[in-house]
């Protein structure tokens, strides 16, 4: 009789474990949660027609990436993993001649579905333009001030 209870308990635990594994697997099959596991890249390109450079300084709560000069033909890129709570934020300042722009280079709440693996920014005389992954037209624009 005691052996029957142990077998029944073992079978119940096994079924619960299978249900748990199945539910976790289905959760991680969504593209947004796949982003937590993969590394996301942010790339900033210089498309100044006059060939001038601009400088970008980005940081998060935990990491200061420092100042980087973005030259025509030499993009600036960094990679990271989005945190579990989807609160990853890299805020940036860009400087060109006597003008500047403050922008969020990566904001998980905005970008998990917008650009889950590769976020692209392009700087020109008109400002910085952000591109949704897989699209050729920008969906974000920040003008130089």
């Amino acid at each position: 009789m005691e052996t029957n209870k142990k077998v029944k308990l073992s079978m119940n635990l096994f079924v619960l474990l299978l249900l748990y594994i199945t539910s976790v697997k289905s959760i991680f099959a969504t593209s947004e949660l796949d982003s937590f596991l993969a590394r996301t890249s942010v790339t900033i390109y210089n498309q100044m027609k006059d060939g001038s450079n601009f400088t970008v300084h980005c940081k998060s709560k935990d990491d200061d990436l420092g100042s980087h000069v973005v030259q025509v033909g030499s993009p600036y890129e960094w990679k990271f993993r989005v945190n579990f709570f989807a609160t990853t934020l890299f805020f940036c300042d860009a400087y060109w001649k006597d003008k500047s722009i403050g922008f969020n280079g990566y904001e998980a709440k905005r970008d998990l579905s917008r650009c889950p693996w590769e976020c692209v920014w392009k700087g020109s005389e008109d400002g910085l333009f952000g591109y949704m992954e897989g699209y050729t037209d920008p969906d974000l624009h920040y003008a130089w001030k």
Side-chain angles (χ1 to χ4, degrees):
M1 186 77 162
E2 193 65 36
T3 305
N4 263 350
K5 284 184 178 181
K6 286 182 181 179
V7 169
K8 204 173 201 182
L9 180 62
S10 295
M11 287 181 66
N12 286 341
L13 287 173
F14 180 72
V15 169
L16 285 173
L17 181 63
L18 282 177
L19 287 172
Y20 176 76
I21 290 171
T22 303
S23 66
V24 168
K25 186 176 179 184
S26 68
I27 289 171
F28 280 99
T30 64
S31 65
E32 285 189 1
L33 288 176
D34 280 345
S35 295
F36 291 118
L37 303 175
R39 289 174 59 93
T40 301
S41 70
V42 175
T43 307
I44 302 175
Y45 294 90
N46 181 339
Q47 294 190 324
M48 298 289 183
K49 291 179 181 137
D50 67 358
S52 62
N53 300 328
F54 63 91
T55 303
V56 176
H57 184 186
C58 296
K59 53 185 163 181
S60 70
K61 185 179 86 172
D62 302 316
D63 299 304
D64 187 337
L65 304 178
S67 291
H68 297 271
V69 175
V70 185
Q71 301 173 349
V72 174
S74 296
Y76 169 57
E77 178 185 43
W78 74 93
K79 295 182 179 191
F80 56 93
R81 284 191 174 80
V82 174
N83 68 24
F84 179 78
F85 300 105
T87 59
T88 301
L89 171 66
F90 283 91
F91 47 96
C92 306
D93 291 306
Y95 305 96
W96 175 62
K97 298 187 178 180
D98 62 341
K99 299 176 182 181
S100 64
I101 297 173
F103 70 104
N104 289 338
Y106 184 86
E107 181 180 351
K109 298 283 187 220
R110 176 191 70 197
D111 295 329
L112 268 176
S113 59
R114 186 180 158 273
C115 50
W117 294 280
E118 183 180 12
C119 296
V120 171
W121 292 92
K122 296 179 181 177
S124 73
E125 288 83 356
D126 296 323
L128 279 168
F129 295 85
Y131 291 80
M132 188 178 281
E133 192 167 318
Y135 288 82
T136 56
D137 293 325
D139 65 323
L140 298 173
H141 175 238
Y142 296 90
W144 296 107
K145 296 179 183 177

